[in-house]
């Protein structure tokens, strides 16, 4: 009776703790979106940029090898030769990586109305994504073209 109940509860608790420990060891990437600018050495400002930040919050390093946008229907809009960053990129634990995409290029994209998320894919084919909020979309669409062009 009583010993079997305690034994069962102990087994369940140790199982939960083991699963929790395994989850902590897995890689995790947090993706954040914002709009901003870059400045050169003479303090000249770039045109408005979508800044996509990938932060490795898990254990171990991750190799990010694909960047792009997800459409509402699930299709991917992969950016093959990003200009201001290199892929693949090894993202060590507790490190961040920034990807930049010109707001102008986003506005000029024929699919921009259907873009719902931005994503990175790693070497294990895991997709790490962030949602493009209504507020951020409005900020991108209303952003200025002033400043030097980021091709």
């Amino acid at each position: 009776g009583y010993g079997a109940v305690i034994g069962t509860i102990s087994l369940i608790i140790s199982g939960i703790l083991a699963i929790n420990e395994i989850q902590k060891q897995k890689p995790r990437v947090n993706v954040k979106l914002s709009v901003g600018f870059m400045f050169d050495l003479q303090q000249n400002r770039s045109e408005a940029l979508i800044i996509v930040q990938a932060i490795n919050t898990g254990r171990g390093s991750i190799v990010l090898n694909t960047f792009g946008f997800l459409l509402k229907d699930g299709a991917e809009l992969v950016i093959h030769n990003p200009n201001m960053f290199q892929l693949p990129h090894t993202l060590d634990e507790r490190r961040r990586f920034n990807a930049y995409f010109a707001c102008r290029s986003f506005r000029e994209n024929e699919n921009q109305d259907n873009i719902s998320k931005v994503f990175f894919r790693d070497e294990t084919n895991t997709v790490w994504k962030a949602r493009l909020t209504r507020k951020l979309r409005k900020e991108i669409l209303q952003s200025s073209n002033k400043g030097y062009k980021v091709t």
Side-chain angles (χ1 to χ4, degrees), residues 4 6 37 39-40 46-47 56 67 88 92-93 95 101 103 106 108 123 125 130-131 133 144:
I6 290 178
F37 305 93
F39 292 87
D40 65 16
S46 72
E47 64 183 315
N56 184 351
F67 168 75
D92 294 324
E93 62 182 83
R95 293 278 177 244
F101 194 77
C103 291
F106 181 91
E108 291 169 358
E123 79 271 83
N125 223 20
R131 195 168 64 85
T133 63
S144 167

Side-chain angles (χ1 to χ4, degrees), residues 66-69 76-81 119 121:
T66 308
F67 168 75
F69 297 98
E76 293 180 353
L77 196 61
V78 174
I79 309 303
H80 284 288
N81 292 315
F119 78 94
R121 180 178 290 113

Side-chain angles (χ1 to χ4, degrees), residues 117-130:
K117 294 181 176 88
V118 65
F119 78 94
F120 286 101
R121 180 178 290 113
D122 68 19
E123 79 271 83
T124 66
N125 223 20
T126 303
V127 174
W128 307 97
K129 56 195 171 198

